[in-house]
Each structure stands twice: as structure tokens, then as C-alpha cells.
Amino acid sequence: RYLNMIRLLRLLKGLNNVESFQRICTTIWRMLTASRDVLVMNFLVVYVWSTAAVQLYGGELWQDNPKFAGKDMAYFSSNYEVFNFNDVPMSFVTLFFFTISSWLDPVVEVCSLLHATNDFKYMLSLSFMMRF
């Protein structure tokens, strides 16, 4: 395993001598340094939304939750449990996935069922999902 990693480093060292590879690496580095402020701002915005999601849904997305009793939801049957808001890193991953892919109905459905429809948290939950 470690020998394969060393072999990969050796390949990268060999590619460093290719002019087009150097040009591509230089271009990518310039793009990253030029967009540093935007990347930091995106990270901070997703972090703030992640912490809000942990406060709204943290620790409540489990199959035997009494709020889900008698309901067959695709969130659990399709193994979407990996997209949860139990802690900030997992919430960050879930929201990042929402950002780069699309809306996931099973996740939104299970999050909207956590609070009663006449509850302030329900309105806050809908507002959260609609704005992100």
C-alpha cells in the first residue's frame, strides 16, 4: 500500500518535467489564489447554515424516532441516513452535497416531519430549506 503511494509520488515527479503539466498546475494555482476570498466566503456561509441545521435537526433523524412512527419514508429505505445534521461536519457535507447536486426530497421530507405544522420550528425549518 505504501509502496503504491511512493510510486504515485514518483509519477508526479516525472510529470513535473512535462511543460504542459507545469502550465496546468500553474494555472490551477493562480485560479485558487485569485478566488481565495470567494472560497473563504462560501466556506463561511455554508458553515453558518450548517450550524443552524444542527440546531434545527441535530440528533433527530433516526428511524425509531416517535415522530416518524407509522410512516414509510424514502430517507430510511433508500439509505440517505448519511445525509444528516447530527454534527457540524456532517451537516457541512450534507449542505455541500445540496449545493453541488440538487434538492433531495427524502431529506427535506424527513426534516419537515420533525416539527408540528403549527410550531414555530416548523416555519423555521421550511424557511431554512427554501433559502438554502
Side-chain angles (χ1 to χ4, degrees):
R1 183 175 177 175
Y2 295 110
L3 292 175
N4 285 336
M5 287 194 280
I6 292 172
R7 288 174 62 196
L8 182 64
L9 290 175
R10 192 169 161 200
L11 174 67
L12 289 176
K13 184 179 175 184
L15 281 175
N16 201 21
N17 295 329
V18 179
E19 183 181 336
S20 60
F21 183 74
Q22 287 177 346
R23 194 173 2 167
I24 290 171
C25 288
T26 304
T27 304
I28 290 172
W29 180 253
R30 286 181 185 164
M31 287 172 34
L32 288 174
T33 56
S35 62
R36 183 186 66 211
D37 294 338
V38 174
L39 293 173
V40 168
M41 180 62 92
N42 283 339
F43 175 80
L44 291 175
V45 167
V46 174
Y47 179 77
V48 167
W49 282 98
S50 296
T51 55
V54 169
Q55 294 302 314
L56 277 173
Y57 314 116
E60 296 186 33
L61 300 179
W62 43 284
Q63 192 165 9
D64 295 330
N65 191 334
K67 296 175 184 177
F68 305 140
K71 296 180 176 110
D72 183 32
M73 291 178 288
Y75 178 78
F76 300 111
S77 62
S78 299
N79 298 320
Y80 280 119
E81 290 101 334
V82 71
F83 300 117
N84 61 56
F85 302 101
N86 291 338
D87 54 6
V88 174
M90 283 308 299
S91 177
F92 197 92
V93 168
T94 302
L95 293 179
F96 181 74
F97 184 78
F98 278 7
T99 303
I100 63 171
S101 67
S102 66
W103 176 278
L104 284 175
D105 281 336
V107 176
V108 176
E109 175 190 9
V110 78
C111 288
S112 65
L113 289 174
L114 285 174
H115 309 292
T117 55
N118 59 354
D119 191 14
F120 176 71
K121 278 191 166 185
Y122 178 77
M123 297 305 290
L124 200 58
S125 176
L126 285 180
S127 174
F128 175 84
M129 286 298 176
M130 295 297 177
R131 286 193 168 89
F132 192 83

Short mmCIF file of all heavy atoms in Angstrom, two decimals, residues 59-97:
data_model
loop_
_atom_site.label_atom_id
_atom_site.label_comp_id
_atom_site.label_asym_id
_atom_site.label_seq_id
_atom_site.Cartn_x
_atom_site.Cartn_y
_atom_site.Cartn_z
N GLY A 59 -29.49 15.30 15.77
CA GLY A 59 -29.82 14.17 16.61
C GLY A 59 -31.24 13.66 16.52
O GLY A 59 -31.64 12.81 17.31
N GLU A 60 -32.03 14.17 15.58
CA GLU A 60 -33.43 13.75 15.49
C GLU A 60 -33.73 12.88 14.28
O GLU A 60 -34.85 12.40 14.14
CB GLU A 60 -34.33 14.98 15.49
CG GLU A 60 -34.25 15.77 16.77
CD GLU A 60 -35.25 16.90 16.80
OE1 GLU A 60 -36.35 16.74 16.23
OE2 GLU A 60 -34.94 17.94 17.38
N LEU A 61 -32.78 12.69 13.39
CA LEU A 61 -33.03 11.92 12.17
C LEU A 61 -32.62 10.47 12.36
O LEU A 61 -31.64 10.00 11.82
CB LEU A 61 -32.28 12.55 10.98
CG LEU A 61 -32.65 13.98 10.64
CD1 LEU A 61 -31.82 14.48 9.48
CD2 LEU A 61 -34.12 14.10 10.33
N TRP A 62 -33.39 9.73 13.13
CA TRP A 62 -33.16 8.31 13.32
C TRP A 62 -34.48 7.59 13.12
O TRP A 62 -35.55 8.13 13.35
CB TRP A 62 -32.54 8.00 14.68
CG TRP A 62 -33.11 8.74 15.84
CD1 TRP A 62 -32.88 10.04 16.17
CD2 TRP A 62 -34.02 8.25 16.82
NE1 TRP A 62 -33.58 10.38 17.28
CE2 TRP A 62 -34.29 9.29 17.72
CE3 TRP A 62 -34.62 7.03 17.03
CZ2 TRP A 62 -35.15 9.16 18.78
CZ3 TRP A 62 -35.46 6.88 18.10
CH2 TRP A 62 -35.71 7.94 18.97
N GLN A 63 -34.39 6.36 12.66
CA GLN A 63 -35.56 5.63 12.17
C GLN A 63 -36.61 5.37 13.23
O GLN A 63 -37.80 5.41 12.95
CB GLN A 63 -35.11 4.32 11.55
CG GLN A 63 -36.21 3.65 10.77
CD GLN A 63 -35.69 2.56 9.87
OE1 GLN A 63 -34.54 2.19 9.96
NE2 GLN A 63 -36.54 2.04 9.02
N ASP A 64 -36.23 5.12 14.47
CA ASP A 64 -37.19 4.80 15.52
C ASP A 64 -37.68 6.03 16.27
O ASP A 64 -38.27 5.90 17.35
CB ASP A 64 -36.57 3.81 16.50
CG ASP A 64 -36.29 2.47 15.83
OD1 ASP A 64 -37.02 2.12 14.89
OD2 ASP A 64 -35.33 1.79 16.25
N ASN A 65 -37.48 7.20 15.72
CA ASN A 65 -37.98 8.43 16.32
C ASN A 65 -39.51 8.36 16.36
O ASN A 65 -40.14 8.04 15.35
CB ASN A 65 -37.51 9.64 15.48
CG ASN A 65 -37.77 10.95 16.18
OD1 ASN A 65 -38.67 11.07 17.01
ND2 ASN A 65 -36.99 11.94 15.83
N PRO A 66 -40.13 8.63 17.50
CA PRO A 66 -41.59 8.54 17.60
C PRO A 66 -42.33 9.48 16.63
O PRO A 66 -43.47 9.22 16.26
CB PRO A 66 -41.88 8.94 19.05
CG PRO A 66 -40.60 8.85 19.76
CD PRO A 66 -39.50 8.94 18.77
N LYS A 67 -41.68 10.52 16.17
CA LYS A 67 -42.32 11.44 15.23
C LYS A 67 -42.50 10.80 13.86
O LYS A 67 -43.30 11.27 13.06
CB LYS A 67 -41.49 12.71 15.11
CG LYS A 67 -41.42 13.50 16.39
CD LYS A 67 -40.50 14.67 16.27
CE LYS A 67 -40.37 15.39 17.60
NZ LYS A 67 -39.43 16.50 17.56
N PHE A 68 -41.77 9.74 13.58
CA PHE A 68 -41.86 9.06 12.28
C PHE A 68 -42.65 7.76 12.37
O PHE A 68 -42.67 6.98 11.43
CB PHE A 68 -40.47 8.74 11.73
CG PHE A 68 -39.57 9.92 11.63
CD1 PHE A 68 -38.22 9.81 11.95
CD2 PHE A 68 -40.02 11.15 11.20
CE1 PHE A 68 -37.37 10.88 11.85
CE2 PHE A 68 -39.18 12.24 11.10
CZ PHE A 68 -37.86 12.11 11.43
N ALA A 69 -43.28 7.50 13.49
CA ALA A 69 -43.98 6.23 13.70
C ALA A 69 -45.10 6.05 12.67
O ALA A 69 -45.89 6.94 12.42
CB ALA A 69 -44.56 6.18 15.11
N GLY A 70 -45.12 4.88 12.06
CA GLY A 70 -46.17 4.55 11.10
C GLY A 70 -45.98 5.15 9.73
O GLY A 70 -46.87 5.04 8.89
N LYS A 71 -44.86 5.77 9.48
CA LYS A 71 -44.62 6.38 8.18
C LYS A 71 -43.46 5.66 7.49
O LYS A 71 -42.42 5.42 8.07
CB LYS A 71 -44.28 7.86 8.34
CG LYS A 71 -45.42 8.66 8.93
CD LYS A 71 -45.04 10.11 9.08
CE LYS A 71 -46.21 10.89 9.59
NZ LYS A 71 -46.07 11.36 10.93
N ASP A 72 -43.68 5.33 6.23
CA ASP A 72 -42.63 4.69 5.44
C ASP A 72 -41.97 5.78 4.60
O ASP A 72 -42.57 6.29 3.66
CB ASP A 72 -43.23 3.60 4.55
CG ASP A 72 -42.14 2.88 3.77
OD1 ASP A 72 -41.02 2.75 4.29
OD2 ASP A 72 -42.42 2.47 2.63
N MET A 73 -40.76 6.15 4.99
CA MET A 73 -40.10 7.26 4.31
C MET A 73 -38.90 6.77 3.51
O MET A 73 -38.16 5.89 3.95
CB MET A 73 -39.68 8.29 5.34
CG MET A 73 -40.87 8.98 5.94
SD MET A 73 -40.42 10.16 7.18
CE MET A 73 -39.91 9.08 8.46
N ALA A 74 -38.70 7.40 2.37
CA ALA A 74 -37.59 7.02 1.48
C ALA A 74 -36.24 7.37 2.09
O ALA A 74 -35.22 6.82 1.68
CB ALA A 74 -37.75 7.73 0.14
N TYR A 75 -36.22 8.26 3.06
CA TYR A 75 -34.95 8.64 3.70
C TYR A 75 -34.28 7.42 4.31
O TYR A 75 -33.07 7.25 4.19
CB TYR A 75 -35.21 9.70 4.76
CG TYR A 75 -34.00 10.15 5.53
CD1 TYR A 75 -33.10 11.05 4.97
CD2 TYR A 75 -33.76 9.69 6.82
CE1 TYR A 75 -31.99 11.47 5.68
CE2 TYR A 75 -32.67 10.10 7.53
CZ TYR A 75 -31.78 11.00 6.95
OH TYR A 75 -30.68 11.42 7.66
N PHE A 76 -35.07 6.57 4.95
CA PHE A 76 -34.50 5.39 5.61
C PHE A 76 -34.41 4.20 4.66
O PHE A 76 -33.44 3.45 4.70
CB PHE A 76 -35.33 5.03 6.84
CG PHE A 76 -35.37 6.14 7.85
CD1 PHE A 76 -36.55 6.82 8.08
CD2 PHE A 76 -34.24 6.51 8.54
CE1 PHE A 76 -36.60 7.85 9.01
CE2 PHE A 76 -34.28 7.54 9.46
CZ PHE A 76 -35.45 8.21 9.70
N SER A 77 -35.40 4.01 3.80
CA SER A 77 -35.38 2.85 2.91
C SER A 77 -34.35 2.99 1.79
O SER A 77 -33.88 2.00 1.26
CB SER A 77 -36.77 2.62 2.31
OG SER A 77 -37.18 3.73 1.55
N SER A 78 -34.01 4.22 1.42
CA SER A 78 -33.01 4.44 0.36
C SER A 78 -31.62 4.73 0.90
O SER A 78 -30.75 5.17 0.16
CB SER A 78 -33.46 5.60 -0.52
OG SER A 78 -34.68 5.32 -1.13
N ASN A 79 -31.44 4.55 2.20
CA ASN A 79 -30.14 4.74 2.86
C ASN A 79 -29.58 6.14 2.70
O ASN A 79 -28.40 6.32 2.41
CB ASN A 79 -29.13 3.69 2.36
CG ASN A 79 -29.56 2.30 2.68
OD1 ASN A 79 -30.07 2.05 3.77
ND2 ASN A 79 -29.39 1.38 1.76
N TYR A 80 -30.42 7.12 2.91
CA TYR A 80 -29.97 8.52 2.90
C TYR A 80 -29.51 8.98 4.29
O TYR A 80 -29.29 10.16 4.50
CB TYR A 80 -31.09 9.45 2.42
CG TYR A 80 -31.26 9.48 0.93
CD1 TYR A 80 -32.45 9.09 0.34
CD2 TYR A 80 -30.24 9.92 0.10
CE1 TYR A 80 -32.62 9.12 -1.03
CE2 TYR A 80 -30.40 9.96 -1.26
CZ TYR A 80 -31.59 9.56 -1.82
OH TYR A 80 -31.74 9.60 -3.17
N GLU A 81 -29.39 8.06 5.24
CA GLU A 81 -29.01 8.45 6.59
C GLU A 81 -27.64 9.12 6.65
O GLU A 81 -27.32 9.80 7.61
CB GLU A 81 -29.01 7.25 7.54
CG GLU A 81 -30.38 6.73 7.84
CD GLU A 81 -30.69 5.48 7.02
OE1 GLU A 81 -30.11 5.31 5.93
OE2 GLU A 81 -31.52 4.70 7.47
N VAL A 82 -26.83 8.92 5.61
CA VAL A 82 -25.52 9.55 5.60
C VAL A 82 -25.66 11.08 5.48
O VAL A 82 -24.78 11.81 5.91
CB VAL A 82 -24.64 8.96 4.47
CG1 VAL A 82 -25.13 9.40 3.11
CG2 VAL A 82 -23.19 9.33 4.65
N PHE A 83 -26.76 11.54 4.91
CA PHE A 83 -27.02 12.97 4.82
C PHE A 83 -27.82 13.37 6.06
O PHE A 83 -29.05 13.30 6.08
CB PHE A 83 -27.79 13.32 3.55
CG PHE A 83 -27.07 12.94 2.30
CD1 PHE A 83 -27.57 12.00 1.44
CD2 PHE A 83 -25.85 13.52 2.01
CE1 PHE A 83 -26.90 11.66 0.29
CE2 PHE A 83 -25.17 13.18 0.86
CZ PHE A 83 -25.69 12.24 0.00
N ASN A 84 -27.11 13.76 7.10
CA ASN A 84 -27.78 14.11 8.35
C ASN A 84 -27.22 15.42 8.88
O ASN A 84 -26.29 15.99 8.32
CB ASN A 84 -27.64 12.98 9.37
CG ASN A 84 -26.20 12.70 9.72
OD1 ASN A 84 -25.47 13.60 10.13
ND2 ASN A 84 -25.78 11.46 9.57
N PHE A 85 -27.81 15.87 9.96
CA PHE A 85 -27.40 17.12 10.59
C PHE A 85 -27.04 16.88 12.05
O PHE A 85 -27.28 17.73 12.90
CB PHE A 85 -28.53 18.14 10.48
CG PHE A 85 -28.94 18.43 9.07
CD1 PHE A 85 -30.07 17.85 8.51
CD2 PHE A 85 -28.19 19.27 8.28
CE1 PHE A 85 -30.45 18.11 7.22
CE2 PHE A 85 -28.55 19.54 6.97
CZ PHE A 85 -29.68 18.96 6.44
N ASN A 86 -26.44 15.73 12.35
CA ASN A 86 -26.12 15.38 13.73
C ASN A 86 -24.99 16.22 14.30
O ASN A 86 -24.97 16.50 15.49
CB ASN A 86 -25.78 13.90 13.84
CG ASN A 86 -26.99 13.04 13.62
OD1 ASN A 86 -28.12 13.48 13.77
ND2 ASN A 86 -26.76 11.81 13.22
N ASP A 87 -24.04 16.58 13.49
CA ASP A 87 -22.95 17.44 13.93
C ASP A 87 -22.57 18.37 12.77
O ASP A 87 -23.04 18.20 11.66
CB ASP A 87 -21.75 16.63 14.43
CG ASP A 87 -21.26 15.61 13.40
OD1 ASP A 87 -21.77 15.60 12.27
OD2 ASP A 87 -20.37 14.84 13.74
N VAL A 88 -21.73 19.34 13.06
CA VAL A 88 -21.40 20.35 12.06
C VAL A 88 -20.68 19.76 10.85
O VAL A 88 -21.04 20.11 9.72
CB VAL A 88 -20.61 21.53 12.70
CG1 VAL A 88 -20.15 22.50 11.64
CG2 VAL A 88 -21.47 22.24 13.72
N PRO A 89 -19.69 18.88 11.01
CA PRO A 89 -19.05 18.34 9.79
C PRO A 89 -20.03 17.57 8.89
O PRO A 89 -20.00 17.74 7.67
CB PRO A 89 -17.96 17.41 10.33
CG PRO A 89 -17.65 17.94 11.68
CD PRO A 89 -18.94 18.46 12.21
N MET A 90 -20.90 16.75 9.45
CA MET A 90 -21.86 16.03 8.61
C MET A 90 -22.89 16.97 8.01
O MET A 90 -23.34 16.79 6.88
CB MET A 90 -22.55 14.92 9.40
CG MET A 90 -21.69 13.70 9.59
SD MET A 90 -20.98 13.04 8.07
CE MET A 90 -22.41 12.62 7.12
N SER A 91 -23.27 17.97 8.76
CA SER A 91 -24.18 18.97 8.23
C SER A 91 -23.53 19.73 7.08
O SER A 91 -24.17 20.03 6.07
CB SER A 91 -24.58 19.93 9.35
OG SER A 91 -25.40 20.95 8.86
N PHE A 92 -22.25 20.02 7.24
CA PHE A 92 -21.49 20.71 6.18
C PHE A 92 -21.47 19.85 4.92
O PHE A 92 -21.70 20.35 3.81
CB PHE A 92 -20.07 20.98 6.68
CG PHE A 92 -19.33 22.00 5.88
CD1 PHE A 92 -19.36 23.33 6.22
CD2 PHE A 92 -18.60 21.62 4.76
CE1 PHE A 92 -18.67 24.26 5.48
CE2 PHE A 92 -17.91 22.55 4.01
CZ PHE A 92 -17.95 23.88 4.38
N VAL A 93 -21.23 18.55 5.08
CA VAL A 93 -21.20 17.64 3.93
C VAL A 93 -22.57 17.58 3.27
O VAL A 93 -22.68 17.61 2.04
CB VAL A 93 -20.73 16.24 4.37
CG1 VAL A 93 -20.96 15.21 3.29
CG2 VAL A 93 -19.27 16.28 4.75
N THR A 94 -23.62 17.49 4.05
CA THR A 94 -24.98 17.42 3.50
C THR A 94 -25.31 18.68 2.72
O THR A 94 -25.81 18.61 1.58
CB THR A 94 -26.00 17.22 4.63
OG1 THR A 94 -25.67 16.03 5.33
CG2 THR A 94 -27.40 17.13 4.09
N LEU A 95 -25.03 19.84 3.28
CA LEU A 95 -25.34 21.09 2.59
C LEU A 95 -24.44 21.29 1.38
O LEU A 95 -24.87 21.84 0.36
CB LEU A 95 -25.24 22.26 3.56
CG LEU A 95 -26.30 22.25 4.66
CD1 LEU A 95 -26.11 23.45 5.58
CD2 LEU A 95 -27.69 22.25 4.07
N PHE A 96 -23.20 20.84 1.46
CA PHE A 96 -22.31 20.91 0.30
C PHE A 96 -22.86 20.03 -0.82
O PHE A 96 -22.86 20.43 -1.98
CB PHE A 96 -20.89 20.49 0.68
CG PHE A 96 -19.92 20.56 -0.45
CD1 PHE A 96 -19.46 21.78 -0.91
CD2 PHE A 96 -19.47 19.39 -1.07
CE1 PHE A 96 -18.57 21.85 -1.97
CE2 PHE A 96 -18.58 19.45 -2.12
CZ PHE A 96 -18.13 20.68 -2.57
N PHE A 97 -23.37 18.85 -0.46
CA PHE A 97 -23.98 17.98 -1.46
C PHE A 97 -25.21 18.63 -2.06
O PHE A 97 -25.44 18.54 -3.26
CB PHE A 97 -24.32 16.63 -0.84
CG PHE A 97 -24.86 15.66 -1.84
CD1 PHE A 97 -24.01 14.99 -2.70
CD2 PHE A 97 -26.21 15.41 -1.93
CE1 PHE A 97 -24.50 14.09 -3.64
CE2 PHE A 97 -26.72 14.52 -2.85
CZ PHE A 97 -25.86 13.87 -3.71
#
